[in-house]
Amino acid sequence: MTSELRVKKQPVPATLFMTDGTTLSGTIFLSPVGPSQAGRETVQEMMEGSEQFIPFRSESERFLLLGKAGVVAIRMVTGEQKPELPGRVSAEVKLVGGLQFNGRMITDHDSDRLSDVLNHSDNWLRLETLNGIVWIRREAISIASQTVI
């Protein structure tokens, strides 16, 4: 049975980094309409939504349901527009398990201090890297340092 109210989600290439160290490349699915803004659903909105599992199609075309609690970071390969937010703090971020990312933390805060960004942000942080935007679960960060551009 298919609901007439169902919104078809758009496939978006992404790489997911899991708590157990597994890296999965493939496709996530985002709604064409975000719950709190005009435009497509963001990774943050998807990850903070009420569903406990997200659909994922691997590069080998295997369909998986991934528990959100097991995802520590998501790199958007394409399709993620750079947000028009004022703040960008250069940072090096190391996650529990050793995964490391370098880039510019994108924030809607006026502060240019990394401690303010980490302590007063949502559960998912956006880091602009050379390889795209990486969404990082804030609670998975073990060490962060502010870098100079």
Side-chain angles (χ1 to χ4, degrees), residues 29-87:
F29 299 87
L30 299 175
S31 175
V33 179
S36 63
Q37 93 236 340
R40 189 176 63 201
E41 174 182 43
T42 66
V43 169
Q44 178 179 354
E45 290 168 335
M46 176 188 69
M47 294 304 288
E48 292 182 351
S50 62
E51 298 84 8
Q52 297 300 306
F53 293 85
I54 58 170
F56 179 81
R57 185 175 56 227
S58 70
E59 287 181 327
S60 64
E61 297 296 319
R62 185 171 180 203
F63 185 78
L64 306 169
L65 291 172
L66 303 177
K68 288 181 180 180
V71 180
V72 295
I74 300 173
R75 179 184 299 128
M76 300 304 295
V77 180
T78 61
E80 182 87 352
Q81 292 183 5
K82 293 181 181 179
E84 298 298 328
L85 296 174

Side-chain angles (χ1 to χ4, degrees), residues 6-19:
R6 183 175 169 213
V7 175
K8 185 173 179 165
K9 297 205 174 187
Q10 298 173 336
V12 180
T15 301
L16 279 65
F17 303 90
M18 309 300 288
T19 55

